[in-house]
mmCIF file of all heavy atoms in Angstrom:
data_model
loop_
_atom_site.group_PDB
_atom_site.id
_atom_site.type_symbol
_atom_site.label_atom_id
_atom_site.label_comp_id
_atom_site.label_asym_id
_atom_site.label_seq_id
_atom_site.Cartn_x
_atom_site.Cartn_y
_atom_site.Cartn_z
ATOM 1 N N VAL G 226 -65.408 -175.103 -33.972
ATOM 2 C CA VAL G 226 -64.048 -174.570 -34.222
ATOM 3 C C VAL G 226 -63.072 -175.760 -34.220
ATOM 4 O O VAL G 226 -63.405 -176.839 -33.662
ATOM 5 C CB VAL G 226 -63.587 -173.514 -33.159
ATOM 6 C CG1 VAL G 226 -64.352 -172.163 -33.300
ATOM 7 C CG2 VAL G 226 -63.621 -174.038 -31.733
ATOM 8 N N GLN G 227 -61.987 -175.542 -34.825
ATOM 9 C CA GLN G 227 -60.966 -176.537 -34.828
ATOM 10 C C GLN G 227 -59.656 -175.998 -34.094
ATOM 11 O O GLN G 227 -58.836 -175.290 -34.688
ATOM 12 C CB GLN G 227 -60.558 -176.821 -36.364
ATOM 13 C CG GLN G 227 -59.575 -178.106 -36.420
ATOM 14 C CD GLN G 227 -59.813 -178.870 -37.723
ATOM 15 O OE1 GLN G 227 -60.675 -178.592 -38.378
ATOM 16 N NE2 GLN G 227 -59.076 -179.927 -37.869
ATOM 17 N N PRO G 228 -59.523 -176.522 -32.843
ATOM 18 C CA PRO G 228 -58.493 -175.965 -32.023
ATOM 19 C C PRO G 228 -57.153 -176.595 -32.504
ATOM 20 O O PRO G 228 -57.104 -177.573 -33.262
ATOM 21 C CB PRO G 228 -58.672 -176.531 -30.513
ATOM 22 C CG PRO G 228 -60.202 -176.879 -30.632
ATOM 23 C CD PRO G 228 -60.509 -177.354 -32.058
ATOM 24 N N PHE G 229 -55.946 -176.109 -31.957
ATOM 25 C CA PHE G 229 -54.626 -176.731 -32.316
ATOM 26 C C PHE G 229 -54.632 -178.186 -31.875
ATOM 27 O O PHE G 229 -55.062 -178.568 -30.766
ATOM 28 C CB PHE G 229 -53.608 -175.976 -31.469
ATOM 29 C CG PHE G 229 -53.122 -174.664 -32.029
ATOM 30 C CD1 PHE G 229 -53.357 -173.491 -31.379
ATOM 31 C CD2 PHE G 229 -52.523 -174.571 -33.225
ATOM 32 C CE1 PHE G 229 -53.019 -172.305 -31.967
ATOM 33 C CE2 PHE G 229 -52.115 -173.385 -33.857
ATOM 34 C CZ PHE G 229 -52.333 -172.211 -33.255
ATOM 35 N N GLY G 230 -54.073 -178.920 -32.700
ATOM 36 C CA GLY G 230 -53.819 -180.386 -32.351
ATOM 37 C C GLY G 230 -55.003 -181.258 -32.454
ATOM 38 O O GLY G 230 -54.931 -182.498 -32.100
ATOM 39 N N GLU G 231 -56.104 -180.775 -32.849
ATOM 40 C CA GLU G 231 -57.341 -181.547 -33.075
ATOM 41 C C GLU G 231 -57.588 -181.967 -34.445
ATOM 42 O O GLU G 231 -57.341 -181.126 -35.472
ATOM 43 C CB GLU G 231 -58.572 -180.865 -32.410
ATOM 44 C CG GLU G 231 -58.463 -180.484 -31.030
ATOM 45 C CD GLU G 231 -58.547 -181.670 -30.123
ATOM 46 O OE1 GLU G 231 -59.186 -182.648 -30.474
ATOM 47 O OE2 GLU G 231 -58.036 -181.650 -28.968
ATOM 48 N N ASP G 232 -58.002 -183.206 -34.713
ATOM 49 C CA ASP G 232 -58.165 -183.681 -36.120
ATOM 50 C C ASP G 232 -59.593 -183.268 -36.611
ATOM 51 O O ASP G 232 -59.803 -182.882 -37.781
ATOM 52 C CB ASP G 232 -58.234 -185.213 -36.177
ATOM 53 C CG ASP G 232 -56.749 -185.662 -35.980
ATOM 54 O OD1 ASP G 232 -55.744 -184.957 -36.301
ATOM 55 O OD2 ASP G 232 -56.609 -186.767 -35.351
ATOM 56 N N LEU G 233 -60.578 -183.213 -35.638
ATOM 57 C CA LEU G 233 -61.950 -182.736 -36.013
ATOM 58 C C LEU G 233 -62.263 -181.555 -35.188
ATOM 59 O O LEU G 233 -61.905 -181.291 -34.197
ATOM 60 C CB LEU G 233 -62.843 -183.989 -35.682
ATOM 61 C CG LEU G 233 -62.682 -185.163 -36.570
ATOM 62 C CD1 LEU G 233 -63.482 -186.269 -35.961
ATOM 63 C CD2 LEU G 233 -63.046 -184.916 -37.975
ATOM 64 N N PRO G 234 -63.279 -180.765 -35.875
ATOM 65 C CA PRO G 234 -63.763 -179.543 -35.143
ATOM 66 C C PRO G 234 -64.546 -180.008 -33.870
ATOM 67 O O PRO G 234 -65.014 -181.059 -33.769
ATOM 68 C CB PRO G 234 -64.758 -178.863 -36.185
ATOM 69 C CG PRO G 234 -64.458 -179.560 -37.458
ATOM 70 C CD PRO G 234 -63.910 -180.867 -37.237
ATOM 71 N N SER G 235 -64.494 -179.172 -32.886
ATOM 72 C CA SER G 235 -65.206 -179.317 -31.664
ATOM 73 C C SER G 235 -66.227 -178.245 -31.404
ATOM 74 O O SER G 235 -65.983 -177.113 -31.956
ATOM 75 C CB SER G 235 -64.276 -179.488 -30.373
ATOM 76 O OG SER G 235 -63.559 -178.322 -30.292
ATOM 77 N N LYS G 236 -67.180 -178.482 -30.648
ATOM 78 C CA LYS G 236 -68.280 -177.487 -30.429
ATOM 79 C C LYS G 236 -67.923 -176.597 -29.210
ATOM 80 O O LYS G 236 -67.520 -177.115 -28.152
ATOM 81 C CB LYS G 236 -69.652 -178.080 -30.189
ATOM 82 C CG LYS G 236 -70.323 -178.529 -31.546
ATOM 83 C CD LYS G 236 -71.779 -178.569 -31.282
ATOM 84 C CE LYS G 236 -72.497 -178.542 -32.758
ATOM 85 N NZ LYS G 236 -73.922 -178.708 -32.541
ATOM 86 N N VAL G 237 -68.236 -175.309 -29.296
ATOM 87 C CA VAL G 237 -67.898 -174.471 -28.274
ATOM 88 C C VAL G 237 -69.166 -173.706 -27.947
ATOM 89 O O VAL G 237 -69.814 -173.184 -28.777
ATOM 90 C CB VAL G 237 -66.833 -173.401 -28.656
ATOM 91 C CG1 VAL G 237 -66.746 -172.253 -27.506
ATOM 92 C CG2 VAL G 237 -65.516 -173.951 -28.838
ATOM 93 N N GLN G 238 -69.607 -173.673 -26.660
ATOM 94 C CA GLN G 238 -70.768 -172.879 -26.111
ATOM 95 C C GLN G 238 -70.466 -171.408 -26.409
ATOM 96 O O GLN G 238 -69.389 -170.882 -26.002
ATOM 97 C CB GLN G 238 -71.030 -173.174 -24.726
ATOM 98 C CG GLN G 238 -71.342 -174.592 -24.467
ATOM 99 C CD GLN G 238 -72.641 -175.154 -25.183
ATOM 100 O OE1 GLN G 238 -72.590 -176.138 -26.040
ATOM 101 N NE2 GLN G 238 -73.714 -174.420 -25.126
ATOM 102 N N ARG G 239 -71.523 -170.802 -26.984
ATOM 103 C CA ARG G 239 -71.335 -169.265 -27.160
ATOM 104 C C ARG G 239 -71.231 -168.412 -25.863
ATOM 105 O O ARG G 239 -70.642 -167.445 -25.729
ATOM 106 C CB ARG G 239 -72.440 -168.763 -28.071
ATOM 107 C CG ARG G 239 -72.081 -168.021 -29.268
ATOM 108 C CD ARG G 239 -73.150 -167.416 -30.037
ATOM 109 N NE ARG G 239 -73.046 -166.006 -30.124
ATOM 110 C CZ ARG G 239 -73.891 -165.168 -30.497
ATOM 111 N NH1 ARG G 239 -75.162 -165.522 -30.814
ATOM 112 N NH2 ARG G 239 -73.740 -163.879 -30.522
ATOM 113 N N THR G 240 -71.855 -169.049 -24.829
ATOM 114 C CA THR G 240 -71.795 -168.443 -23.549
ATOM 115 C C THR G 240 -70.248 -168.471 -22.962
ATOM 116 O O THR G 240 -69.862 -167.509 -22.325
ATOM 117 C CB THR G 240 -72.676 -169.053 -22.465
ATOM 118 O OG1 THR G 240 -72.506 -170.501 -22.584
ATOM 119 C CG2 THR G 240 -74.125 -168.779 -22.675
ATOM 120 N N ASP G 241 -69.570 -169.584 -23.324
ATOM 121 C CA ASP G 241 -68.189 -169.648 -22.887
ATOM 122 C C ASP G 241 -67.345 -168.502 -23.495
ATOM 123 O O ASP G 241 -66.517 -167.850 -22.902
ATOM 124 C CB ASP G 241 -67.564 -171.013 -23.210
ATOM 125 C CG ASP G 241 -68.075 -172.069 -22.354
ATOM 126 O OD1 ASP G 241 -68.737 -171.739 -21.338
ATOM 127 O OD2 ASP G 241 -68.075 -173.271 -22.779
ATOM 128 N N LEU G 242 -67.693 -168.279 -24.786
ATOM 129 C CA LEU G 242 -66.968 -167.268 -25.502
ATOM 130 C C LEU G 242 -67.333 -165.805 -24.967
ATOM 131 O O LEU G 242 -66.444 -165.048 -24.734
ATOM 132 C CB LEU G 242 -67.323 -167.258 -27.056
ATOM 133 C CG LEU G 242 -66.793 -166.165 -27.964
ATOM 134 C CD1 LEU G 242 -65.231 -166.240 -28.045
ATOM 135 C CD2 LEU G 242 -67.383 -166.261 -29.343
ATOM 136 N N ALA G 243 -68.538 -165.726 -24.663
ATOM 137 C CA ALA G 243 -69.005 -164.417 -24.139
ATOM 138 C C ALA G 243 -68.459 -164.115 -22.794
ATOM 139 O O ALA G 243 -68.147 -163.015 -22.393
ATOM 140 C CB ALA G 243 -70.547 -164.444 -23.998
#
Side-chain angles (χ1 to χ4, degrees):
V226 291
Q227 189 148 358
F229 280 117
E231 300 288 335
D232 295 327
L233 293 168
S235 58
K236 277 204 165 180
V237 173
Q238 296 301 122
R239 238 186 117 194
T240 47
D241 291 344
L242 174 65

